[in-house]
Amino acid sequence: MFSYKSTLITISFILVLFIVIHFILDFDGLYGQDSYEYLRYTKALHTYLISGKPPGSFFWPLYYPITGSIVSLLFAPPIALQLISIAALVISGYFISKTILLLYPRTNYISLYVLATFVFSPLVFRLGITNMSDMFCTALIVLSFYHGFSYYKKETIKHLYLVVVFSICAVMTRYVAFVVLSPLAVTICYSFFKTKKHFLHLPVLVLVGVVLLLPHVFIQKNAIGFLNHNALTLWSVINFFKLSFTTSEGVNNYNFPNIIYAFSSLFHPRFLFFGIVLVLLYFKTKIITTEIKIVLFSLLTYSLFLAGIPYQNNRFLLLSYPLGIIVLYPSYLYLVDKMETYKMEKFLILTLLFLQVCLSYLSLKPILNRNILEKTIAKELHNYKKNTLYSFDIDVALQGRGLDFDYKNLWVIEYATFEKDALVLFHPTKFQKQWEGQNPLLNWNKLNNEYNLICLKEFPDGWMLYKIKPLKNE
């Protein structure tokens, strides 16, 4: 898959990115809530590998934390997870390039195209350096399409095995990858049974699939629990046209209906600021092969699935985004050809790349700031450890960074009473709209109305640490 030269370049790129992000920008890949949950379970699986202690329950698929636990044999778990994400970003870019080479007869400036449209796409780059499963799953999807098309075109048995392995691993990293990969899987199965060239390999392929599913069956307590996720239970065509949703995640209002959001990775600046130009130019190109139809159908299928989910999350768009980059490559060539008339094609490409790099850095600012905030609060709260702590949103970060509190999450239940002299870490204004009428604000309002909150510490961005005292008239 890799030549010696490409392997050296790829590894060097991964290491340089890691050094810049982890040491120069001082970002350890942790922010928000999901990344800390992946870290928690990676540590649990690491302990399981070494001592055999059961890792406990985990809602999401296992392959990202499993991979993290293995790499943790060499590096600390946060570093292991971040290295996996950065490696997945670079490998995704490499195999997007290889897929384009496989599908198109003409390939000019392909490396610069992939760097500008994928690697340094603002949201892609951001997800490629954080400790979450999105980029790892994306790499597995890209590898699945590359080897799937290689098998479809060449009928080489190694590609058949690899597409089975990478596809199952993708689904076992993010269940929703099944939707992206379904059209490819149907095509490969049709080709396999039609030619019957490798029919004798069928038992081995089934065995490979079963082996890859075993971690999910044996480690997960509830192997089919994901079927109860609200992305499935609340999916509806009606959601295509809605801009506001009330779910267990609170009240969320959006600027565009779901059907526009679901396709927005092809034209929104968070992914590709010049994407709208490429989309419009696409209709001037004439390359519609069987493979491109499969890519388009996969993109369409997944986008329609996202449109029916009762909320919007830009992370979800990442899994199909490489397919859009593959489809839009002829548009890029068309644009380059036009600029060659003025001898400005290289200037255009480098300018686009430079602007994407700048936008990528700007897209990092919110998570860099959040990361700094979490580390700042964690450092300050060391002085208050072993107390009861009521909190919401940021408490997951504190647990992930090893602070020893008796944690009481304000989202889980509506508390009838609160412990006196316990601590409360909350942002008084941040959650007013999203969580109106739900547990976080119901609990906060009860604390304000029925207790005396003594401010102990003010943190950046409006977070406050309080101690719970009874009202003076009690």
Side-chain angles (χ1 to χ4, degrees):
M1 291 192 293
F2 287 96
S3 66
Y4 174 78
K5 181 179 179 181
S6 64
T7 301
L8 188 61
I9 293 172
T10 302
I11 293 174
S12 299
F13 196 14
I14 292 169
L15 292 176
V16 169
L17 271 182
F18 175 74
I19 290 169
V20 170
I21 299 301
H22 195 87
F23 294 105
I24 297 178
L25 294 182
D26 192 28
F27 179 61
D28 58 9
L30 297 167
Y31 85 102
Q33 296 190 22
D34 291 1
S35 62
Y36 288 99
E37 179 62 7
Y38 281 117
L39 176 62
R40 179 193 71 80
Y41 207 66
T42 295
K43 291 178 178 179
L45 287 171
H46 179 74
T47 301
Y48 177 61
L49 289 175
I50 294 173
S51 67
K53 179 183 177 181
S57 61
F58 186 68
F59 179 74
W60 298 313
L62 298 176
Y63 268 42
Y64 181 60
I66 282 177
T67 307
S69 67
I70 295 171
V71 180
S72 294
L73 296 173
L74 300 175
F75 304 98
I79 292 177
L81 290 175
Q82 191 173 39
L83 273 172
I84 292 168
S85 293
I86 292 173
L89 171 66
V90 178
I91 290 170
S92 296
Y94 178 78
F95 277 95
I96 290 171
S97 301
K98 292 202 69 170
T99 304
I100 291 172
L101 285 167
L102 185 68
L103 299 185
Y104 294 105
R106 180 181 165 218
T107 51
N108 294 353
Y109 301 111
I110 188 169
S111 296
L112 289 173
Y113 171 73
V114 173
L115 283 173
T117 59
F118 182 78
V119 175
F120 288 107
S121 166
L123 192 63
V124 174
F125 187 75
R126 186 164 113 176
L127 292 172
I129 64 171
T130 55
N131 298 358
M132 291 188 282
S133 64
D134 305 273
M135 189 55 67
F136 186 58
C137 184
T138 300
L140 293 167
I141 289 173
V142 172
L143 285 162
S144 299
F145 273 92
Y146 171 74
H147 289 290
F149 288 143
S150 295
Y151 176 73
Y152 182 77
K153 293 172 77 73
K154 303 173 185 178
E155 295 185 354
T156 307
I157 189 62
K158 73 172 184 178
H159 292 299
L160 179 59
Y161 276 97
L162 288 171
V163 71
V164 169
V165 169
F166 288 128
S167 295
I168 293 176
C169 287
V171 175
M172 292 297 98
T173 301
R174 292 284 303 276
Y175 296 125
V176 75
F178 176 83
V179 181
V180 185
L181 292 168
S182 291
L184 176 68
V186 170
T187 303
I188 297 303
C189 289
Y190 174 77
S191 178
F192 176 78
F193 286 107
K194 180 182 178 181
T195 62
K196 297 182 180 179
K197 183 177 179 180
H198 300 120
F199 207 70
L200 291 176
H201 289 267
L202 183 58
V204 183
L205 291 167
V206 172
L207 179 61
V208 169
V210 170
V211 169
L212 290 172
L213 292 173
L214 288 179
H216 184 74
V217 174
F218 286 108
I219 298 177
Q220 288 280 48
K221 298 297 182 183
N222 184 3
I224 59 172
F226 68 93
L227 295 176
N228 296 319
H229 196 281
N230 58 17
L232 297 178
T233 59
L234 300 179
W235 193 95
S236 172
V237 174
I238 296 173
N239 293 333
F240 283 23
F241 312 102
K242 294 179 67 174
L243 293 89
S244 180
F245 302 93
T246 301
T247 66
S248 60
E249 300 298 320
V251 179
N252 289 293
N253 299 297
Y254 303 103
N255 295 323
F256 300 99
N258 267 17
I259 191 64
I260 294 178
Y261 142 79
F263 291 92
S264 64
S265 64
L266 299 179
F267 56 81
H268 198 284
R270 72 171 69 93
F271 281 94
L272 194 61
F273 77 90
F274 58 98
I276 189 65
V277 175
L278 298 182
V279 171
L280 294 174
L281 289 177
Y282 178 75
F283 297 101
K284 292 183 174 289
T285 65
K286 307 295 182 182
I287 302 177
I288 302 290
T289 62
T290 301
E291 295 88 346
I292 297 304
K293 289 179 182 177
I294 295 168
V295 174
L296 284 169
F297 191 58
S298 296
L299 186 61
L300 176 64
T301 302
Y302 184 63
S303 297
L304 292 177
F305 173 77
L306 292 185
I309 294 175
Y311 49 84
Q312 298 178 15
N313 189 328
N314 292 324
R315 288 172 51 198
F316 295 171
L317 297 171
L318 176 64
L319 300 189
S320 64
Y321 180 63
L323 305 183
I325 297 306
I326 292 168
V327 167
L328 292 177
Y329 180 71
S331 302
Y332 163 78
L333 285 183
Y334 183 91
L335 186 63
V336 169
D337 287 343
K338 291 297 182 182
M339 296 304 295
E340 279 183 345
T341 305
Y342 307 100
K343 307 296 183 184
M344 293 184 64
E345 68 278 7
K346 290 183 179 179
F347 174 78
L348 170 70
I349 297 168
L350 292 174
T351 300
L352 294 177
L353 177 58
F354 173 75
L355 291 174
Q356 284 286 87
V357 171
C358 292
L359 290 172
S360 291
Y361 177 73
L362 290 177
S363 76
L364 291 183
K365 294 296 288 183
I367 67 169
L368 292 176
N369 291 338
R370 172 71 186 214
N371 183 258
I372 292 170
L373 174 68
E374 290 171 354
K375 288 188 286 191
T376 300
I377 293 178
K379 182 179 179 180
E380 291 291 334
L381 261 61
H382 270 285
N383 300 324
Y384 301 92
K385 288 191 300 184
K386 300 187 182 300
N387 282 289
T388 296
L389 178 67
Y390 294 92
S391 189
F392 169 65
D393 180 53
I394 207 164
D395 55 316
V396 178
L398 300 180
Q399 293 180 62
R401 294 188 180 276
L403 271 73
D404 183 15
F405 286 103
D406 179 16
Y407 289 94
K408 306 286 187 182
N409 189 286
L410 296 174
W411 174 81
V412 175
I413 61 171
E414 183 181 355
Y415 293 95
T417 60
F418 294 88
E419 294 181 26
K420 295 174 183 178
D421 292 322
L423 302 175
V424 179
L425 180 64
F426 200 76
H427 194 300
T429 60
K430 182 178 181 180
F431 308 110
Q432 296 296 326
K433 289 185 178 180
Q434 183 175 354
W435 297 101
E436 183 179 359
Q438 299 197 45
N439 286 346
L441 278 187
L442 292 175
N443 285 316
W444 173 245
N445 291 335
K446 187 180 186 70
L447 280 164
N448 275 279
N449 294 332
E450 300 181 18
Y451 296 86
N452 185 23
L453 296 179
I454 307 298
C455 181
L456 300 178
K457 191 80 177 178
E458 295 185 22
F459 296 104
D461 196 40
W463 286 88
M464 311 282 284
L465 180 68
Y466 304 91
K467 176 172 280 192
I468 302 174
K469 291 288 186 180
L471 291 174
K472 291 182 180 179
N473 58 359
E474 289 187 0

